[in-house]
Amino acid sequence: MQADITSLQLFMLQMVELEDAAWDDMLQRLQHRRYKKKDVFIKEGKICRELAFVLKGSFRYYKTIDGIEVTTFFSFEHYWISAYTSFLTHLPSFITVEAMEDAEVVVLNYDDMQYLYDHYVSFERFGRLMAEYLVTCLDERMHSLLLKTPEERYLKTLNDNRIYFERVPQHYIASYLGIAPESLSRIRKRVMQKVIS
Amino acid sequence: MQADITSLQLFMLQMVELEDAAWDDMLQRLQHRRYKKKDVFIKEGKICRELAFVLKGSFRYYKTIDGIEVTTFFSFEHYWISAYTSFLTHLPSFITVEAMEDAEVVVLNYDDMQYLYDHYVSFERFGRLMAEYLVTCLDERMHSLLLKTPEERYLKTLNDNRIYFERVPQHYIASYLGIAPESLSRIRKRVMQKVIS
């Protein structure tokens, strides 16, 4: 396990000076877990009590509406997964998070997170910086949905998150962008024509 | 000034046990400021270096697209204003924040915030909890834009933020909900008919 979590250590050290004691204490509390493609991390309607760092593979967030899965987010290696609002509020999650590919993660539960916040100032700071980073992502996403055209959203995602177009089926990307699959096909065609001409 | 900021103290004490030294230190750094209706707190394209707590009045967030102001958010008394993503990243703000009514605020600048984070663990915790709260708001808003119909968004806002319908002009609410003003009128009429019948 030790080798695997180097990416987590690097991720955290980029953000805070985490003293050895904090890191060692966190290590004791981490639970290593594997997911097969389509396995569920958290199901809509359940209260999410865990946060996980993705070591390998990817996850998809979605809500089922009238029998159709509407995709809202993706997480890949070296990023976190959680129904974070449910995790923070203890209310039922309004989304499902499931493995989009076979995956490996390390999990921290809510009580351990609070313990680490209480005992290590560096961990408290890490929590603040993580939440602030998430604010910037969600703020940009919300403004993009309110202010940008579907084509602008497509081009921005193509630019900022090329990995989506390499590892995510196209119909998942359409609902992530808030557009119908056939609109995404039209946009792709139009953008390709602009590139060619 | 002392009387005015009781609401800020109550707001913070609900979230953390703020020791007297932290509160007194913050007080020294707060700048009291008044805004007339239409005065700008931060303009699109500028880097936001301040965060303010609204003591009185209200503010509107918007972006100008092709000469039209598209409203994205409102803040009232006992809440914060900032172009928070710009504040955190030091990149130009993609929105303007201006007074929607005559207003009074207390302002903290970026450097003072960092100083307080560095010197008081309780302030660091307050920063984490504030950012986490903002995550839950933005997360819900983003999912609402992706997953809910305009009528569902209208009803939820009517339920959760009735103050908007009391103090915000209707055309601002339409763009906040991500719908055309004429659609909002139709939705209001439809909902009223359901209530009556």
Side-chain angles (χ1 to χ4, degrees), chain A residues 27 38 52 69 73 90 92 107 132 147 162 167 177 195 197:
Chain A
L27 271 194
K38 294 273 182 191
E69 292 174 3
F73 196 67
H90 311 299
V107 179
E132 287 179 353
L147 302 171
R162 184 165 286 270
R167 286 168 61 185
L177 293 171
V195 171
S197 64

Side-chain angles (χ1 to χ4, degrees), chain A residues 63 65 70 72 85 88 94-95 117-118 124-125 128 131-132 135-136 139 141-143 146-147 175, chain B residues 63 65 70 72 85 88 94-95 117-118 124-125 128 131-132 135-136 139 141-143 146-147 175 178:
Chain A
K63 183 176 173 68
I65 301 177
V70 184
T72 61
T85 291
L88 294 173
F94 41 80
I95 42 116
Y117 288 147
D118 285 344
E124 180 79 68
R125 171 154 296 187
R128 172 172 66 81
E132 287 179 353
V135 166
T136 65
D139 192 33
R141 182 95 188 277
M142 185 199 78
H143 279 91
L146 276 172
L147 302 171
S175 68
Chain B
K63 184 177 172 68
I65 300 176
V70 184
T72 61
T85 290
L88 294 173
F94 41 78
I95 41 116
Y117 289 148
D118 284 344
E124 180 80 67
R125 171 153 297 188
R128 172 171 67 81
E132 287 179 353
V135 166
T136 65
D139 192 34
R141 181 97 188 276
M142 185 199 78
H143 279 92
L146 276 172
L147 301 172
S175 68

Side-chain angles (χ1 to χ4, degrees), chain A residues 1 43 66 69 77 96 116 122 130 133 135 169 172-173:
Chain A
M1 181 173 156
K43 198 167 171 56
D66 299 332
E69 292 174 3
E77 296 88 355
T96 294
L116 293 165
S122 59
M130 271 294 292
Y133 175 71
V135 166
Y172 292 157
I173 296 179

Side-chain angles (χ1 to χ4, degrees), chain B residues 43-99:
Chain B
K43 198 167 172 55
E44 188 186 334
K46 301 279 182 196
I47 295 168
C48 181
R49 304 191 191 280
E50 295 174 334
L51 194 74
F53 185 78
V54 182
L55 300 172
K56 213 179 118 186
S58 62
F59 288 81
R60 180 171 70 93
Y61 293 52
Y62 66 84
K63 184 177 172 68
T64 306
I65 300 176
D66 299 332
I68 293 167
E69 292 173 3
V70 184
T71 298
T72 61
F73 196 66
F74 313 104
S75 275
F76 293 84
E77 296 89 354
H78 315 159
Y79 199 67
W80 298 84
I81 52 167
S82 181
Y84 201 46
T85 290
S86 169
F87 179 83
L88 294 173
T89 61
H90 311 301
L91 293 172
S93 169
F94 41 78
I95 41 116
T96 294
V97 181
E98 78 170 35

Side-chain angles (χ1 to χ4, degrees), chain B residues 141-178:
Chain B
R141 181 97 188 276
M142 185 199 78
H143 279 92
S144 161
L145 288 169
L146 276 172
L147 301 172
K148 288 192 196 304
T149 64
E151 183 163 329
E152 286 168 339
R153 288 205 287 276
Y154 168 77
L155 287 171
K156 181 146 179 58
T157 305
L158 195 63
N159 189 56
D160 298 351
N161 299 99
R162 185 165 286 271
I163 194 171
Y164 290 6
F165 295 89
E166 290 159 4
R167 284 169 60 185
V168 177
Q170 183 166 329
H171 60 286
Y172 291 157
I173 295 179
S175 68
Y176 166 82
L177 293 171

